[in-house]
């Protein structure tokens, strides 16, 4: 319980988001994985390209 309170304080918007989206019937985490991974990979690619451009 102590850890749950600590997490609630650290991430105050996470619990309402989880209740609204993740805890609903039919939500499948696996369906979100590919979208999230692509978002991360695209961001890394953009950051890398910007870093290369600055160094050139």
């Amino acid at each position: 319980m102590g850890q749950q309170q600590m997490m609630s304080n650290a991430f105050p918007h996470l619990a309402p988001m989880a209740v609204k989206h993740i805890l609903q019937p039919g939500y499948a985490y696996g369906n979100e994985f590919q979208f999230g991974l692509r978002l991360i990979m695209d961001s890394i690619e953009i950051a890398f390209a910007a870093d290369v451009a600055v160094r050139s």
Side-chain angles (χ1 to χ4, degrees), residues 9-31:
N9 292 338
F11 304 101
H13 303 290
L14 184 59
M17 188 275 303
V19 170
K20 184 175 180 182
H21 298 287
I22 298 171
L23 298 178
Q24 297 302 311
Y27 177 84
Y29 172 77
N31 294 341

Side-chain angles (χ1 to χ4, degrees), residues 8-56:
S8 294
N9 292 338
F11 304 101
H13 303 290
L14 184 59
M17 188 275 303
V19 170
K20 184 175 180 182
H21 298 287
I22 298 171
L23 298 178
Q24 297 302 311
Y27 177 84
Y29 172 77
N31 294 341
E32 306 297 329
F33 180 79
Q34 188 172 9
F35 171 78
L37 181 60
R38 175 56 40 209
L39 187 64
I40 292 167
M41 297 302 290
D42 288 348
S43 298
I44 290 171
E45 183 178 16
I46 291 167
F48 180 76
D51 186 55
V52 168
V54 168
R55 292 175 188 256
S56 297

